[in-house]
């Protein structure tokens, strides 16, 4: 897999596991267990990214972000969200400048 296409290629593999499950495949297992299991794993991996970051451990951070990215891709396949959808959204956001959201207090006038 090339660096530029690894996300798209992994997405396609995950799609294949959903369409044609393989016994013993972790990806197939996640789809068999359903959306709640996938969401639980996304939550767990998000927390592990936070912990790794708080520990300031680069190796752990890279490992946990990779786990999170994989589980996000599984979630995307489960929900029918394509990699292209994310790329398009990120490209749209990249074009924006001065896009910082206001604090809630500023919006409702609390000081």
């Amino acid at each position: 897999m090339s660096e530029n296409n690894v996300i798209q290629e992994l997405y396609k593999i995950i799609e294949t596991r959903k369409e044609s499950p393989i016994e013993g495949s972790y990806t197939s297992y996640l789809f068999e267990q359903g959306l709640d299991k996938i969401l639980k794993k996304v939550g767990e991996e998000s927390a592990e990214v936070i912990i790794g970051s708080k520990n300031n451990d680069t190796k752990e951070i890279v490992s946990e972000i990779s786990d999170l990215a994989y589980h996000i891709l599984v979630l995307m396949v489960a929900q029918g969200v394509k990699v292209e959808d994310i790329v398009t959204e990120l490209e749209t956001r990249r074009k924006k400048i001065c896009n910082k959201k206001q604090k809630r207090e500023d919006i409702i006038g609390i000081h």
Side-chain angles (χ1 to χ4, degrees), residues 36-97:
D36 285 348
K37 179 66 171 183
I38 295 167
L39 293 172
K40 180 179 177 184
K41 291 303 298 181
V42 169
E44 288 173 7
E45 298 304 339
S46 296
E48 290 174 7
V49 168
I50 293 167
I51 292 165
S53 297
K54 290 291 283 182
N55 292 339
N56 203 24
D57 181 338
T58 302
K59 186 175 179 180
E60 183 181 3
I61 295 166
V62 169
S63 177
E64 297 304 343
I65 287 174
S66 297
D67 288 346
L68 178 58
Y70 161 77
H71 286 91
I72 289 288
L73 289 170
V74 172
L75 177 60
M76 288 169 59
V77 170
Q79 296 294 86
V81 175
K82 303 285 186 193
V83 172
E84 296 82 13
D85 299 332
I86 304 303
V87 169
T88 299
E89 178 65 19
L90 291 172
E91 286 173 342
T92 299
R93 291 179 182 199
R94 181 178 63 186
K95 294 174 187 172
K96 295 179 181 179
I97 52 175

